[in-house]
């Protein structure tokens, strides 16, 4: 039996950090086992907000492929591609734009939020309000059955479902109506306790050096109530503890839960244990990054092979689309 297909993408607007790793990427890695996967770099989507500095987008593209491979996504198993290398996305976007009521886009919650949040970026553009239509084209092009995304992207998949239904109603059953596979958001916060994000300057990046990672983690704030060694602490409010839950063995986690609230262990030790575990876990990833960074031509050809595979699929879909519309 043919495996179900999923598709997901990331905008190349910055380096990947531990939040991305334990949010999207580990989830994608698991999904590789059960689904036929298309993972792509949404450079046209990046252009919607970064159109004034488009050159920066290109710096992140190969880096993103390297990060994906370094954490265990396998380009032999999944198809990696670059959105702008498959021009059919633009054609499908255009066609879908004809059947998408403006009111669906205007009530999109992420549209309103982002307009306010990114007001310095002047995104009152045609492309920006059409962002979810392009996303629908990405998803529908590969006839995806499901789309793994974080909660912030769920409204976009919902819109895709509506657009797919409308297309099928108007022209015939061409597209599956894709399910949302909600990715659990990363439990890891940034070093200061806020959401880990490159714009808050509180993230540990996959390409940080060992020394940088050590330094950054050593700056993390622990339970603020625990000013002195003899004060009892509370792992549930300490931002270190979620990191232990990911990186430390169960005995250590149990020990912290037992000893921290009765001041049986100190934060300095607790942090030392953590740093070693994080470094252990990141070492193989960093080694693979190193390996691929020295082989950029090979990375380029891996992406190119993925582009070709994606394009073949896309060409088939577009033939069908043109046919049912009568073009
Ligand atoms: N909008 C997504 C994000 O910002 C990226 C994206 C573009 C995407 N097209 C997609 C995600 C299709 C899933 C499916 O994260
Ligand atoms: Fe946090 Fe560990 Fe200190 Fe407890 S002992 S407050 S878990 S750093």
């Amino acid at each position: 039996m043919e495996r179900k297909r999923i598709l997901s993408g990331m905008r190349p607007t910055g380096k990947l950090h531990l939040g991305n790793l334990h949010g999207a990427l580990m989830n994608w890695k698991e999904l590789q086992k059960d689904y036929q996967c298309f993972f792509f770099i949404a450079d046209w989507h990046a252009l919607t907000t970064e159109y004034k500095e488009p050159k920066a987008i290109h710096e992140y593209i190969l880096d993103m492929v390297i990060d994906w491979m370094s954490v265990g996504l396998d380009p032999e198993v999944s198809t990696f591609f670059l959105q702008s290398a498959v021009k059919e996305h633009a054609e499908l976007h255009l066609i879908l734009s004809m059947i998408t009521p403006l009111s669906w886009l205007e009530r999109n919650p992420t549209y309103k939020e982002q307009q306010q949040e990114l007001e310095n970026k002047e995104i009152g553009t045609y492309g920006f309000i059409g962002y979810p239509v392009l996303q629908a084209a990405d998803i529908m092009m590969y006839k995806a059955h499901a789309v793994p995304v974080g909660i912030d992207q769920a409204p976009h998949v919902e819109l895709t479902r509506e657009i797919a239904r409308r297309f099928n109603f108007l022209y015939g059953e061409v597209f599956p109506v894709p399910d949302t596979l909600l990715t659990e958001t990363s439990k890891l916060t940034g070093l200061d306790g806020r959401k880990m994000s490159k714009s808050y300057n509180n993230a540990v990046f996959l390409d940080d050096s060992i020394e940088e990672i050590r330094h950054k983690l050593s700056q993390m704030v622990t339970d603020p109530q625990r000013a002195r060694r003899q004060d009892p602490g509370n792992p549930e409010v300490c931002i270190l503890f979620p990191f232990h839950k990911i990186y430390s063995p169960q005995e250590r986690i149990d020990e912290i839960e037992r000893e921290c609230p009765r001041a049986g262990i100190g934060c300095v030790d607790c942090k030392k244990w953590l740093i070693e575990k994080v470094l252990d876990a990141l070492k193989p990833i960093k080694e693979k990054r190193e390996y691929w960074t020295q082989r950029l031509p090979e990375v380029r050809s891996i992406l190119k092979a993925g582009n070709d595979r994606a394009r073949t699929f896309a060409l088939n879909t577009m033939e069908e689309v043109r046919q049912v519309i009568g073009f």
Side-chain angles (χ1 to χ4, degrees), residues 7-9 11 40 42 45 131 135 138-139 147 149 153 156:
L7 170 131
S8 199
R11 281 174 305 148
F40 78 102
H45 274 114
Y131 185 112
Q135 186 158 347
D138 301 334
I139 297 166
V147 186
V149 287
Q153 292 293 314
H156 291 167

Side-chain angles (χ1 to χ4, degrees), residues 13 43-59 118-125 128:
T13 53
D43 56 344
W44 278 337
H45 274 114
L47 201 55
T48 58
T49 55
E50 310 303 309
Y51 63 89
K52 288 184 185 169
E53 300 279 350
K55 295 231 165 59
I57 298 172
H58 290 273
E59 281 168 33
L118 305 175
E119 58 185 31
N120 56 333
K121 292 211 166 171
E122 299 174 50
I123 47 178
T125 57
F128 189 72

Side-chain angles (χ1 to χ4, degrees), residues 222-223 226 233-235 238 240-241 244 256 260 265-267 270-271:
T222 58
D223 177 356
R226 205 179 171 195
N234 180 2
C238 175
L240 243 73
F241 195 52
H244 273 294
I256 295 169
C260 169
I265 55 170
C267 294
C270 189
K271 208 178 251 181

Side-chain angles (χ1 to χ4, degrees), residues 281-293:
L282 292 186
K283 234 172 252 161
I285 296 177
K286 298 186 68 56
E287 279 166 16
K288 284 192 207 144
R289 275 197 108 272
E290 192 64 25
Y291 175 92
W292 288 114
T293 304

Side-chain angles (χ1 to χ4, degrees), residues 8-51:
S8 199
M10 280 182 186
R11 281 174 305 148
T13 53
K15 297 188 286 182
L16 294 184
H17 52 63
L18 293 187
N20 306 129
L21 175 61
H22 294 287
L25 290 180
M26 284 305 174
N27 187 44
W28 289 8
K29 190 176 162 184
E30 283 305 301
L31 292 167
Q32 259 190 162
K33 297 176 187 157
D34 299 322
Y35 293 88
Q36 184 191 355
C37 299
F38 288 87
F39 298 128
F40 78 102
I41 300 169
D43 56 344
W44 278 337
H45 274 114
L47 201 55
T48 58
T49 55
E50 310 303 309
Y51 63 89

